[in-house]
Amino acid sequence: MSHKTDQSLFTVKLVKPAIADAFRKLQPQIQMKNPVMFVVYVGSILTSALTVQAFMGQGEAPAGFILAVSLWLWFTVLFANFAEALAEGRSKAQAEALRGAKQDVRAKKLQTPNRSATRILVNGSSLRKGDFVLVEANDVIPADGEVVEGVASVDESAITGESAPVIRESGGDFSAVTGGTRVLSDWIIMKVTVNPGEAFLDRMIAMVEGAKRQKTPNEIALTILLVALTIVFLLATVTLLPFSVFSVEASGAGHAVTITVLVALLVCLIPTTIGGLLSAIGVAGMSRMMQANVIATSGRAVEAAGDVDVLLLDKTGTITLGNRQASAFYPAPGITAAQLADAAQLSSLADETPEGRSIVILAKQEFQLRERDIAALGAQFIPFTAQTRMSGVDLEHNGVVRQIRKGSVDAIRKYFTAQGHSFPQAVTDTVDQVARQGSTPLVVIDDQRVMGVIELKDIVKGGIKERFAELRRMGIKTVMITGDNRLTAAAIAAEAGVDDFLAEATPEDKLRLIRSHQAEGKLVAMTGDGTNDAPALAQADVAVAMNSGTQAAKEAGNMVDLDSNPTKLIEIVEIGKQMLMTRGSLTTFSIANDVAKYFAIIPAAFATTYPQLDALNLMRLTSPSSAIMSAVIFNALIIVFLIPLALKGVKYRALGADILLRRNLLIYGLGGLIIPFIGIKLIDMILAVCGLA
């Protein structure tokens, strides 16, 4: 798929603009948005001024040393800018791909929603909310809207990347159409639902642009922590200068610590690693959502996905395959299975639903009943309606009408008893038995006889039980939502392995369930595509609307799944958790690697003032100037080496919080402690070999 291709991190197409953006981001107003790196930025300016002073013969230290420190501080700032620019570049590349789908087309505007109404050819950009447009085969849909008449096959590959066409028709939950897609066959009349600049594609582009991403609450909290640490170390560093001067004056020996060394010390003390990569991690999280063909309206939604406690999932199409299939015939007493199959097939000949076709096929397979021509039989098909909840056929022979009906047990019982007949208890028992097995029972009647029950089986998706087990290990509760009765819902829930279920769910029930979980302090995620899902989507913390769904659902959600795959909710949670895990891992590493830098730079900074500190020089670095340079260089380079991890993310594993914490401390805590000792020592050895120590 076009949006799921994972771009390489360091292609020329991405790196060249990122390098330019890294320098462009050196403006003070941009640097101030990242307090930690702003301190490094100010330190770079200060050491640059000291370098100029040193070359004029008034330096506090050798000009070459101050220049080297200044350059590596600038590199530190540029590397942090580069990481953010590279992450934004990937998002901008995705946005450019979406912009390619935007085009101003000629639209057939109608005065009224009638195909025979007068047509006026206008530019698509001139259409306004409420306008009616006729879109015929091979026409590009000019704007977002709702189908009000007709049905058509639509190519949405420009938006979703999927080549398979979809059906869009008036009414129901599949009436929304998106500007930039193309009608392949038939025709539709659509009502425009947005004004120019407000289209879904416009919003998608704005969402994908990483530069417009707002910080999430978790990111803001972490920034506050980093700022607090920076202020503490800044105050501690500032007080070292008077202490050093006092010590030298009191002892009459040694030299006071220089401003250059203090700046280098401060930069190595503050958490520059995570400070430089924090923004890139957030942008990359949005980008990974886009690679999964999910548009998140904000980083807040991505972050919330990582903290979800409860997942509400539709049964049909999410937990089950969605199309129920006829699996067995259960005849009533005194009726043979062949008689039931014959009546069931006759009632389904004109039923083009997957369920209806499966009944015809099952009767043919089990009893060799060929498909009859309903027109040749002089039959009148009775379509299913939400009011009657049954369908069937009327067959006329010699002036006598034979009425065959199939439908839900409640609808058939009401219809049957209204004619003065009693409903057999044996059939009721069969219905209950089928429902307890997790299947859907349909009852068939032929005039004054109850023929029996058809079992429609909803197949649970392969591997879904294992996915739910993974979520359970992560501490996430899964709740299945279905309109089925409690018996059917309980059977499917047990087979799928969900933790709980809500049967016979209404929009009010869904809303009530979400609010009850939120009242307990839990974050709730759900998915939906219909207008009746909109209230619950608006209430949920993570609300994934299907792109194939109604405009109301898409507006209520804070994410849109372009693939319209209800199981994507599980993947979204995993991406959210991966972003949080990446941020936590790099924060742990950043704080841990500061410890090694203390042992490198503090003994070197005060070697002449406090000779006793030489005992802390565990790495046996060549000289004080080499120790300071090695720590500053390592501090800059480590940001570069961690950019791929920040953008790709820490590998996701479905583990509990305590196990993840132990792994985090072992790998990134211990690793962050050991790697700087090795890195700083290697840099010191290189400087010594090059005669720069």
Side-chain angles (χ1 to χ4, degrees):
M1 289 187 54
S2 61
H3 300 311
K4 289 185 180 179
T5 52
D6 190 5
Q7 295 170 313
S8 175
L9 293 179
F10 297 106
T11 61
V12 175
K13 185 179 178 182
L14 290 177
V15 170
K16 284 182 67 177
I19 292 173
D21 283 343
F23 283 94
R24 207 171 289 124
K25 288 175 178 288
L26 289 177
Q27 301 172 59
Q29 63 268 31
I30 296 177
Q31 291 299 311
M32 288 179 68
K33 294 177 182 178
N34 188 333
V36 177
M37 296 313 299
F38 183 67
V39 172
V40 184
Y41 177 74
V42 173
S44 305
I45 295 173
L46 181 57
T47 52
S48 297
L50 292 173
T51 300
V52 174
Q53 196 176 50
F55 277 107
M56 293 174 63
Q58 303 173 353
E60 58 176 15
F65 172 72
I66 302 176
L67 175 63
V69 171
S70 179
L71 286 175
W72 280 103
L73 292 182
W74 280 116
F75 286 148
T76 304
V77 176
L78 286 170
F79 291 157
N81 289 350
F82 176 75
E84 183 176 17
L86 195 61
E88 291 174 358
R90 298 176 82 204
S91 292
K92 287 173 183 175
Q94 293 167 334
E96 286 302 319
L98 291 173
R99 282 194 183 94
K102 285 191 67 177
Q103 48 185 308
D104 193 11
V105 299
R106 301 288 283 173
K108 302 165 186 172
K109 184 178 176 182
L110 301 175
Q111 297 299 318
T112 60
N114 191 317
R115 195 180 184 190
S116 60
T118 304
R119 307 177 189 180
I120 305 172
L121 278 176
V122 299
N123 287 329
S125 57
S126 68
L127 294 172
R128 293 292 184 272
K129 191 173 182 178
D131 288 345
F132 295 101
V133 179
L134 172 66
V135 190
E136 297 176 302
N138 297 317
D139 288 349
V140 174
I141 294 174
D144 292 0
E146 297 273 353
V147 179
V148 295
E149 186 179 339
V151 58
S153 175
V154 179
D155 174 13
E156 295 189 341
S157 59
I159 304 297
T160 67
E162 286 285 4
S163 57
V166 295
I167 301 299
R168 293 290 176 258
E169 57 187 334
S170 60
D173 293 338
F174 299 96
S175 60
V177 289
T178 305
T181 58
R182 183 183 296 273
V183 170
L184 297 178
S185 65
D186 302 294
W187 59 272
I188 54 171
I189 295 176
M190 56 169 281
K191 181 180 181 180
V192 178
T193 55
V194 295
N195 289 318
E198 300 173 358
F200 179 57
L201 201 56
D202 293 309
R203 289 189 287 125
M204 283 168 60
I205 292 168
M207 293 169 194
V208 174
E209 291 277 9
K212 299 179 182 178
R213 184 189 63 89
Q214 294 184 345
K215 288 186 176 181
T216 63
N218 185 288
E219 193 174 344
I220 291 170
L222 183 55
T223 301
I224 292 171
L225 173 63
L226 298 181
V227 170
L229 288 173
T230 302
I231 292 172
V232 169
F233 286 125
L234 180 61
L235 293 174
T237 305
V238 168
T239 59
L240 290 177
L241 182 59
F243 274 116
S244 175
V245 172
F246 174 77
S247 178
V248 170
E249 290 178 351
S251 63
H255 301 283
V257 67
T258 63
I259 299 294
T260 303
V261 170
L262 285 177
V263 170
L265 173 63
L266 175 61
V267 169
C268 290
L269 286 175
I270 63 178
T272 50
T273 307
I274 185 62
L277 296 172
L278 186 60
S279 182
I281 294 169
V283 175
M286 299 278 286
S287 180
R288 280 195 294 275
M289 281 290 183
M290 184 58 196
Q291 287 165 15
N293 260 18
V294 176
I295 302 295
T297 58
S298 68
R300 181 187 293 266
V302 180
E303 185 177 284
D307 282 330
V308 159
D309 300 297
V310 181
L311 274 181
L312 305 185
L313 301 130
D314 270 337
K315 183 202 76 171
T316 305
T318 305
I319 294 172
T320 64
L321 293 175
N323 292 333
R324 297 173 299 176
Q325 303 290 314
S327 60
F329 295 113
Y330 299 99
I335 304 295
T336 66
Q339 288 175 313
L340 169 60
D342 179 67
Q345 189 186 67
L346 284 170
S347 69
S348 305
L349 286 177
D351 186 351
E352 292 300 326
T353 64
E355 294 89 345
R357 300 307 303 160
S358 71
I359 293 170
V360 173
I361 292 169
L362 183 65
K364 184 177 180 180
Q365 288 174 342
E366 292 199 357
F367 301 99
Q368 290 72 52
L369 295 173
R370 61 181 178 82
E371 295 186 34
R372 275 71 59 94
D373 185 350
I374 199 166
L377 292 172
Q380 181 182 357
F381 178 63
I382 310 300
F384 175 89
T385 67
Q387 290 73 33
T388 63
R389 296 178 65 196
M390 60 182 178
S391 62
V393 65
D394 288 347
L395 301 172
E396 186 175 351
H397 181 67
N398 295 329
V400 179
V401 178
R402 177 186 175 192
Q403 296 182 330
I404 304 174
R405 300 288 184 271
K406 72 173 190 295
S408 69
V409 60
D410 293 336
I412 293 293
R413 180 189 284 117
K414 183 178 179 182
Y415 176 80
F416 195 65
T417 54
Q419 297 178 8
H421 309 300
S422 59
F423 197 83
Q425 181 60 40
V427 174
T428 301
D429 295 340
T430 302
V431 165
D432 292 341
Q433 179 186 344
V434 170
R436 279 193 297 271
Q437 294 171 355
S439 300
T440 302
L442 288 182
V443 179
V444 180
I445 59 173
D446 187 347
D447 283 334
Q448 300 178 15
R449 295 183 300 170
V450 177
M451 304 300 291
V453 178
I454 308 168
E455 179 182 6
L456 295 180
K457 193 168 182 61
D458 211 349
I459 309 299
V460 173
K461 288 182 176 179
I464 198 77
K465 191 168 187 176
E466 290 72 20
R467 297 292 297 275
F468 289 148
E470 286 182 13
L471 292 171
R472 195 173 297 110
R473 284 196 296 273
M474 292 158 51
I476 297 175
K477 180 180 180 180
T478 53
V479 181
M480 181 184 79
I481 300 177
T482 177
D484 291 339
N485 60 60
R486 287 192 60 83
L487 286 175
T488 302
I492 293 288
E495 186 179 352
V498 294
D499 299 311
D500 200 358
F501 65 89
L502 177 66
E504 300 173 347
T506 64
E508 293 78 14
D509 293 334
K510 297 177 188 177
L511 193 59
R512 196 177 302 114
L513 180 63
I514 292 172
R515 285 174 174 169
S516 67
H517 284 299
Q518 290 174 332
E520 298 171 4
K522 296 176 181 176
L523 289 182
V524 181
M526 80 159 287
T527 182
D529 59 4
T531 301
N532 62 347
D533 291 323
L537 287 170
Q539 182 68 34
D541 300 286
V542 178
V544 185
M546 300 295 100
N547 187 43
S548 62
T550 61
Q551 194 69 24
K554 287 193 279 190
E555 289 176 356
N558 51 28
M559 291 188 186
V560 177
D561 176 18
L562 300 180
D563 294 333
S564 301
N565 175 10
T567 59
K568 188 72 69 67
L569 190 57
I570 298 173
E571 188 177 345
I572 288 169
V573 170
E574 292 175 354
I575 293 172
K577 284 197 172 292
Q578 184 186 31
M579 189 184 81
L580 294 180
M581 286 167 60
T582 302
R583 191 182 293 158
S585 298
L586 290 181
T587 301
T588 304
F589 183 90
S590 178
I591 294 173
N593 81 43
D594 285 342
V595 175
K597 289 183 283 185
Y598 303 161
F599 282 98
I601 204 167
I602 291 178
F606 299 96
T608 58
T609 309
Y610 302 107
Q612 302 90 335
L613 288 176
D614 188 59
L616 296 177
N617 186 9
L618 302 179
M619 288 177 273
R620 298 291 105 188
L621 301 176
T622 307
S623 67
S625 62
S626 174
I628 293 168
M629 282 303 306
S630 299
V632 171
I633 292 171
F634 176 84
N635 193 62
L637 292 180
I638 195 65
I639 294 176
V640 179
F641 286 115
L642 290 174
I643 287 175
L645 183 63
L647 298 189
K648 285 191 173 182
V650 173
K651 187 175 181 181
Y652 168 77
R653 290 180 175 85
L655 301 171
D658 54 340
I659 300 175
L660 282 175
L661 178 60
R662 285 199 298 271
R663 286 177 59 88
N664 195 29
L665 292 175
L666 182 63
I667 297 173
Y668 297 96
L670 187 59
L673 198 61
I674 294 172
I675 289 174
F677 278 96
I678 299 171
I680 291 172
K681 181 61 179 177
L682 284 175
I683 295 170
D684 175 71
M685 292 169 64
I686 293 170
L687 292 177
V689 170
C690 296
L692 300 174

